[in-house]
Amino acid sequence: MSIDFLSISKALNLEMVNYKKILIVDDEESIREGLKTYLQFEGYDATTVSSAEEALKLDIQTYDLLLLDIMMDKMSGLELASLLKSNDQTKDIPIIFITAKDENDEMVEGLRLGADDYIVKPFYMKNVLARIEAVHRRYSHTFTNKTESGIQCDRTRLLCIIDGTEIKLPKKEFEILALFLENKGRIFTREELMQKVWPDNVIVADRSIDVHVTRIRNKISPYGKNIISRSGYGYGWQD
């Protein structure tokens, strides 16, 4: 029995809205369900189908990214990608191909079609997550993430802009705030923040996370209240 972590998170009110929608197209059930479970646990809204034909029955333009198996029965992942890239409504949807080790030619063809990345089976789930996050960052152009509140982060210049006024934040504070804005509605545990903002096995105390968040709140007034906390869990952003 698969576990729907997204529904559980909603029921517990740990994460509210604005999930990044991912469509997983793969004819291997174990891969589909494994990816879905892991990505839902990470806060994504993941949908699975077992064929390209099933995918075409969906409103694909509503998805933020496709994880697409290359070799499937009937229509292949390459054929589906070619159709999507030739359609104005779906041509800009990022695609990450899932390939077997002996599918190098197909992988090259996929990249020529406009795919953004590829993952070789067997793969580590953390590697999949890293590839997805990298593609999302790439597709945000200048990496600007704007909320209705009038605050945005520009990763290219490491600037936070509040109601048209630029302020500079130290690197770690900026990365925490940008992460919140990129994942509005999601609550990050302190451990997750440590892993994403201090990825080089640096030892960081929980208290340090609290201090950074407090400083950010003070510096982005009047929008500091948008950084919410869940007692015993962590922090996130809510418009």
Side-chain angles (χ1 to χ4, degrees):
M1 180 181 68
S2 62
I3 301 174
D4 190 340
F5 285 104
L6 190 60
S7 296
I8 293 173
S9 295
K10 289 178 180 178
L12 294 175
N13 197 32
L14 296 178
E15 302 175 23
M16 283 67 77
V17 290
N18 296 315
Y19 302 96
K20 290 184 175 71
K21 294 182 63 177
I22 295 179
L23 178 61
I24 303 163
V25 187
D26 197 300
D27 57 4
E28 293 187 48
E29 183 178 5
S30 60
I31 290 179
R32 289 197 311 271
E33 294 307 315
L35 284 168
K36 178 180 179 180
T37 299
Y38 183 79
L39 292 174
Q40 285 185 333
F41 184 77
E42 290 294 331
Y44 288 92
D45 186 353
T47 301
T48 66
V49 292
S50 60
S51 68
E53 290 81 4
E54 284 186 68
L56 289 172
K57 295 177 182 178
L58 302 176
D59 189 4
I60 294 181
Q61 65 181 330
T62 65
Y63 289 90
D64 298 301
L65 183 141
L66 270 63
L67 286 176
L68 184 55
D69 187 22
I70 285 184
M71 299 301 293
M72 294 182 289
D73 292 337
K74 298 182 180 179
M75 182 183 290
S76 71
L78 291 176
E79 291 173 306
L80 176 58
S82 180
L83 283 175
L84 298 178
K85 292 301 181 182
S86 64
N87 187 320
D88 286 341
Q89 293 183 318
T90 56
K91 66 181 181 181
D92 294 326
I93 299 174
I95 295 175
I96 298 178
F97 275 118
I98 302 172
T99 78
K101 288 184 178 179
D102 58 353
E103 294 173 359
N104 289 331
D105 291 342
E106 289 82 358
M107 178 268 291
V108 171
E109 180 61 24
L111 294 175
R112 286 175 177 170
L113 284 172
D116 297 272
D117 206 343
Y118 66 93
I119 300 167
V120 178
K121 303 175 186 177
F123 47 76
Y124 292 104
M125 291 296 184
K126 286 187 176 181
N127 182 39
V128 175
L129 182 64
R131 299 295 183 92
I132 290 172
E133 291 177 343
V135 169
H136 278 313
R137 289 196 298 271
R138 195 180 309 150
Y139 268 76
S140 62
H141 303 291
T142 59
F143 298 174
T144 299
N145 303 279
K146 187 175 182 179
T147 74
E148 296 177 357
S149 305
I151 180 171
Q152 62 187 30
C153 282
D154 184 341
R155 283 189 178 272
T156 59
R157 296 182 295 164
L158 297 181
L159 287 175
C160 175
I161 303 172
I162 300 177
D163 296 332
T165 301
E166 297 180 355
I167 65 170
K168 292 184 179 180
L169 298 174
K171 187 173 186 294
K172 296 305 181 185
E173 292 179 17
F174 177 88
E175 290 180 358
I176 292 172
L177 179 58
L179 188 64
F180 289 162
L181 295 181
E182 290 166 353
N183 299 274
K184 293 180 289 181
R186 176 179 175 180
I187 302 296
F188 289 91
T189 66
R190 291 172 177 81
E191 290 74 17
E192 287 174 321
L193 290 172
M194 292 176 196
Q195 291 172 4
K196 293 178 181 297
V197 180
W198 288 269
D200 301 323
N201 296 320
V202 176
I203 297 176
V204 180
D206 285 358
R207 178 58 180 163
S208 180
I209 299 293
D210 298 336
V211 170
H212 277 78
V213 170
T214 298
R215 289 174 177 170
I216 295 169
R217 280 175 169 155
N218 291 334
K219 292 176 181 179
I220 65 172
S221 179
Y223 303 117
K225 64 182 183 299
N226 292 94
I227 298 179
I228 60 174
S229 61
R230 291 288 180 268
S231 180
Y233 193 81
Y235 299 96
W237 185 277
Q238 181 178 4
D239 283 331

